[in-house]
Amino acid sequence: MQSGISVSKELHNAFNELVSSTSQRGLIATIQSESVILLHTIRASSPDFFSDLPSLTPLLSDKQAAYIILRRYQNAPDGYVAVTFVPDTAPVRQKTLFASTRLTLVRELGTERFRESLFVTDRQELEKEGWEKHDTSVAVEAPLTEAEEALKGVKEAESEARSGTEGRRLETGGTLSLAISEEAMAALKELRGAQGGTLVQLRVDTNTESIELVGVSETDPSGLATAISDTQPRYSLFTYRHCFDGVDESPLVFLSTCPSGLKVRERMLHASSKQGFLAGLGSNLGLEVSKKFEATSPSEITASTLEDEFRPRQEQKQGFSRPKRPASVVILPETDEEPQPLTPSLKRRQSSISEAGLKRPRLSQENSSNGRDGAAMGSPQSARENRLLDPKKSGHMQEERKRGQRLFGALLGTLSQSSSSTANKRRADIEKKQQAKLRLQMEEEDEMKKAKLHELVVMRRREQKIYDRRSMHIRHTNLLAHARFLRTKAEPRLYYKPWEFLPGEEDKIREQVREAEQIINRESSQFDMDHPSSPQEPPSDARREDDRGSTNIPQGGRETDGKNTDEDKAAESKTNAANSDDVLISDAQNRPPQRSESGKDTGDDGGEVVEDEEDTVIY
């Protein structure tokens, strides 16, 4: 959340003075009239930060919030700390405004200037003991739970296993930061005050993995190709002296040369250490590199290359030039030779009209011309007069024009007149007959398609009725068969019939059979009501099978003729089911026990053991 309050110009100037002067320790600001203004300036009594803290606390109030800007880290570009002091006893409006404006203050003064941003509610936190506690808490690692510690250990083990050995730390961008020897460091420090022509050459030692000094020499831009080795990789720093717009300059140029015939390890170290080396030049030694060159061979870097980089050629822009207009008068050159007469071609009939009268006459600058060229090169008025004076030429032109008009009129008449010949009438009659025949054929095909579709629908309905009847018959058969057995209560259901029935089990089976027959009769009558058979419909196969299955001899000894009513069919099915149950039960009671395959088996008491048949279980 932002409050919309901005930093005043006075506070901007005071902060710039704080950055440029070492006689001040910090600033105290507050919010007034929708702006952050300067309230107090803290003087620096010594370079020690903690020695100036006693002069800070008397300037603060327990009921007034304030912003405190302190220089804590001496000679560091980001050595400032932004403290937001909001006591607990301050008004609620002040707490809200200061909390919502703290980020705006840091952003407008420059985020890169502040290393830390603190929020303080008590003046004791700004004393020496409070700062020491803050430093201790920042230095200690954040507490981790057991799960986070275990995860951290797993990640460290994975990184070690992935690298194989202890890896070297990489800088931003994946570049190596190699150590620089003392001799190379001393030579680089001397470049800060060196004049033009100083060349410092460095190399990467693959054994120690450090940057070593090769040598320091004086040369000019044309001698760089001979001064730098063309067989070994080099980092070269050269002060290029030149004069531009009357001002002598000596910028620092970085040259990186790496021949292509070296080993892979040497080239990799040379390429990956370049960015880290250049970053160290600016941050540690304060050397600013103006231009960077990379080449395979030193011969690619010449004096003209450096001059083109520091003195770019200015292109002269030219304005748009309008093209010249074409000449309206054609001037023919004067020739003494007489023109040769044209011979008539064999493939094309020569026109009776001369070409001189049809072509556009050309104008000549000379007023005088000979008689032969006068007709062809005279004025248009003279050419028109010549044609009018020559009646033979004008007569030919009129004939050609009339002939063209006659031909064009005849063509239009031929196209406009309607043909009424007998052949055209016959052709039109044939086309009408063919179209009528085609139309009749298409109608017949549509009728045939509709008839086939109707037959297919009728057949599908009939077959569907047969299928439904057969499905119902199979389901009723299975239902009646399951009703003649006992079943378990647990899932999955097991149907069984014991060798000997317990009391009540025979009644239970009869009740199941009766319920099944009721369901069968109810569904059969409902099916007959839903699917009435038409008198024209012949009896289906399923209906004939049902009729054959229902034809039997009842108990009275009378044979049925296959046309019993629904009541007779139901009574007969009940009687047959009851008789079959009685037969099964009586057979089970009167069935003699069967002996085993061995005939007799002797038990412990010496008696004869007789094995009965096992109970039948239907899964």
Side-chain angles (χ1 to χ4, degrees), residues 555-567:
Q555 291 181 353
R558 181 175 56 87
E559 185 176 356
T560 60
D561 56 353
K563 297 182 180 180
N564 299 336
T565 59
D566 294 338
E567 291 79 2

PDB file of all heavy atoms in Angstrom, residues 555-567:
ATOM      1  N   GLN A 555     -53.413 -83.266 -15.480  1.00  0.00           N
ATOM      2  CA  GLN A 555     -53.608 -84.416 -14.595  1.00  0.00           C
ATOM      3  C   GLN A 555     -54.901 -85.163 -14.935  1.00  0.00           C
ATOM      4  O   GLN A 555     -55.015 -86.347 -14.733  1.00  0.00           O
ATOM      5  CB  GLN A 555     -53.659 -83.933 -13.133  1.00  0.00           C
ATOM      6  CG  GLN A 555     -52.293 -83.422 -12.647  1.00  0.00           C
ATOM      7  CD  GLN A 555     -52.379 -82.987 -11.205  1.00  0.00           C
ATOM      8  OE1 GLN A 555     -53.468 -82.936 -10.615  1.00  0.00           O
ATOM      9  NE2 GLN A 555     -51.234 -82.687 -10.621  1.00  0.00           N
ATOM     10  N   GLY A 556     -55.894 -84.524 -15.429  1.00  0.00           N
ATOM     11  CA  GLY A 556     -57.162 -85.183 -15.741  1.00  0.00           C
ATOM     12  C   GLY A 556     -57.071 -86.125 -16.919  1.00  0.00           C
ATOM     13  O   GLY A 556     -58.043 -86.785 -17.253  1.00  0.00           O
ATOM     14  N   GLY A 557     -55.940 -86.246 -17.610  1.00  0.00           N
ATOM     15  CA  GLY A 557     -55.771 -87.136 -18.740  1.00  0.00           C
ATOM     16  C   GLY A 557     -56.253 -86.552 -20.030  1.00  0.00           C
ATOM     17  O   GLY A 557     -56.256 -87.219 -21.045  1.00  0.00           O
ATOM     18  N   ARG A 558     -56.607 -85.265 -20.094  1.00  0.00           N
ATOM     19  CA  ARG A 558     -57.113 -84.628 -21.320  1.00  0.00           C
ATOM     20  C   ARG A 558     -55.967 -83.916 -22.011  1.00  0.00           C
ATOM     21  O   ARG A 558     -55.253 -83.130 -21.410  1.00  0.00           O
ATOM     22  CB  ARG A 558     -58.230 -83.654 -20.940  1.00  0.00           C
ATOM     23  CG  ARG A 558     -58.850 -82.949 -22.133  1.00  0.00           C
ATOM     24  CD  ARG A 558     -60.025 -82.105 -21.675  1.00  0.00           C
ATOM     25  NE  ARG A 558     -59.618 -81.174 -20.641  1.00  0.00           N
ATOM     26  CZ  ARG A 558     -59.102 -79.956 -20.927  1.00  0.00           C
ATOM     27  NH1 ARG A 558     -58.932 -79.586 -22.178  1.00  0.00           N
ATOM     28  NH2 ARG A 558     -58.804 -79.137 -19.931  1.00  0.00           N
ATOM     29  N   GLU A 559     -55.825 -84.148 -23.282  1.00  0.00           N
ATOM     30  CA  GLU A 559     -54.763 -83.535 -24.065  1.00  0.00           C
ATOM     31  C   GLU A 559     -55.245 -82.189 -24.608  1.00  0.00           C
ATOM     32  O   GLU A 559     -56.345 -82.078 -25.115  1.00  0.00           O
ATOM     33  CB  GLU A 559     -54.351 -84.440 -25.242  1.00  0.00           C
ATOM     34  CG  GLU A 559     -53.166 -83.890 -25.997  1.00  0.00           C
ATOM     35  CD  GLU A 559     -52.736 -84.857 -27.077  1.00  0.00           C
ATOM     36  OE1 GLU A 559     -53.307 -85.940 -27.150  1.00  0.00           O
ATOM     37  OE2 GLU A 559     -51.799 -84.495 -27.825  1.00  0.00           O
ATOM     38  N   THR A 560     -54.365 -81.194 -24.471  1.00  0.00           N
ATOM     39  CA  THR A 560     -54.727 -79.836 -24.921  1.00  0.00           C
ATOM     40  C   THR A 560     -54.463 -79.712 -26.394  1.00  0.00           C
ATOM     41  O   THR A 560     -53.638 -80.397 -26.983  1.00  0.00           O
ATOM     42  CB  THR A 560     -53.896 -78.782 -24.155  1.00  0.00           C
ATOM     43  OG1 THR A 560     -52.524 -79.026 -24.413  1.00  0.00           O
ATOM     44  CG2 THR A 560     -54.177 -78.866 -22.660  1.00  0.00           C
ATOM     45  N   ASP A 561     -55.147 -78.766 -26.995  1.00  0.00           N
ATOM     46  CA  ASP A 561     -55.002 -78.543 -28.433  1.00  0.00           C
ATOM     47  C   ASP A 561     -54.131 -77.356 -28.761  1.00  0.00           C
ATOM     48  O   ASP A 561     -54.096 -76.895 -29.898  1.00  0.00           O
ATOM     49  CB  ASP A 561     -56.392 -78.349 -29.048  1.00  0.00           C
ATOM     50  CG  ASP A 561     -57.134 -77.221 -28.352  1.00  0.00           C
ATOM     51  OD1 ASP A 561     -56.605 -76.704 -27.321  1.00  0.00           O
ATOM     52  OD2 ASP A 561     -58.211 -76.860 -28.825  1.00  0.00           O
ATOM     53  N   GLY A 562     -53.423 -76.788 -27.746  1.00  0.00           N
ATOM     54  CA  GLY A 562     -52.504 -75.678 -28.029  1.00  0.00           C
ATOM     55  C   GLY A 562     -53.165 -74.339 -28.045  1.00  0.00           C
ATOM     56  O   GLY A 562     -52.525 -73.361 -28.382  1.00  0.00           O
ATOM     57  N   LYS A 563     -54.470 -74.204 -27.744  1.00  0.00           N
ATOM     58  CA  LYS A 563     -55.146 -72.908 -27.770  1.00  0.00           C
ATOM     59  C   LYS A 563     -55.789 -72.622 -26.426  1.00  0.00           C
ATOM     60  O   LYS A 563     -56.901 -72.153 -26.311  1.00  0.00           O
ATOM     61  CB  LYS A 563     -56.230 -72.891 -28.858  1.00  0.00           C
ATOM     62  CG  LYS A 563     -55.668 -73.062 -30.266  1.00  0.00           C
ATOM     63  CD  LYS A 563     -56.767 -72.988 -31.292  1.00  0.00           C
ATOM     64  CE  LYS A 563     -56.225 -73.159 -32.688  1.00  0.00           C
ATOM     65  NZ  LYS A 563     -57.291 -73.099 -33.715  1.00  0.00           N
ATOM     66  N   ASN A 564     -55.121 -72.988 -25.321  1.00  0.00           N
ATOM     67  CA  ASN A 564     -55.645 -72.747 -23.981  1.00  0.00           C
ATOM     68  C   ASN A 564     -55.586 -71.262 -23.671  1.00  0.00           C
ATOM     69  O   ASN A 564     -54.786 -70.511 -24.214  1.00  0.00           O
ATOM     70  CB  ASN A 564     -54.844 -73.537 -22.945  1.00  0.00           C
ATOM     71  CG  ASN A 564     -54.941 -75.039 -23.196  1.00  0.00           C
ATOM     72  OD1 ASN A 564     -55.905 -75.501 -23.806  1.00  0.00           O
ATOM     73  ND2 ASN A 564     -53.946 -75.785 -22.745  1.00  0.00           N
ATOM     74  N   THR A 565     -56.377 -70.897 -22.752  1.00  0.00           N
ATOM     75  CA  THR A 565     -56.394 -69.503 -22.306  1.00  0.00           C
ATOM     76  C   THR A 565     -55.260 -69.269 -21.328  1.00  0.00           C
ATOM     77  O   THR A 565     -54.556 -70.171 -20.912  1.00  0.00           O
ATOM     78  CB  THR A 565     -57.751 -69.186 -21.639  1.00  0.00           C
ATOM     79  OG1 THR A 565     -57.915 -70.065 -20.542  1.00  0.00           O
ATOM     80  CG2 THR A 565     -58.893 -69.387 -22.638  1.00  0.00           C
ATOM     81  N   ASP A 566     -55.110 -68.001 -20.941  1.00  0.00           N
ATOM     82  CA  ASP A 566     -54.030 -67.656 -19.990  1.00  0.00           C
ATOM     83  C   ASP A 566     -54.275 -68.294 -18.635  1.00  0.00           C
ATOM     84  O   ASP A 566     -53.335 -68.702 -17.939  1.00  0.00           O
ATOM     85  CB  ASP A 566     -53.954 -66.129 -19.837  1.00  0.00           C
ATOM     86  CG  ASP A 566     -53.531 -65.483 -21.139  1.00  0.00           C
ATOM     87  OD1 ASP A 566     -52.925 -66.197 -21.959  1.00  0.00           O
ATOM     88  OD2 ASP A 566     -53.795 -64.265 -21.326  1.00  0.00           O
ATOM     89  N   GLU A 567     -55.583 -68.429 -18.210  1.00  0.00           N
ATOM     90  CA  GLU A 567     -55.858 -69.043 -16.898  1.00  0.00           C
ATOM     91  C   GLU A 567     -55.476 -70.516 -16.910  1.00  0.00           C
ATOM     92  O   GLU A 567     -54.901 -71.046 -15.955  1.00  0.00           O
ATOM     93  CB  GLU A 567     -57.348 -68.894 -16.557  1.00  0.00           C
ATOM     94  CG  GLU A 567     -57.775 -67.448 -16.280  1.00  0.00           C
ATOM     95  CD  GLU A 567     -57.977 -66.674 -17.552  1.00  0.00           C
ATOM     96  OE1 GLU A 567     -57.823 -67.291 -18.640  1.00  0.00           O
ATOM     97  OE2 GLU A 567     -58.245 -65.441 -17.472  1.00  0.00           O
TER      98      GLU A 567
END
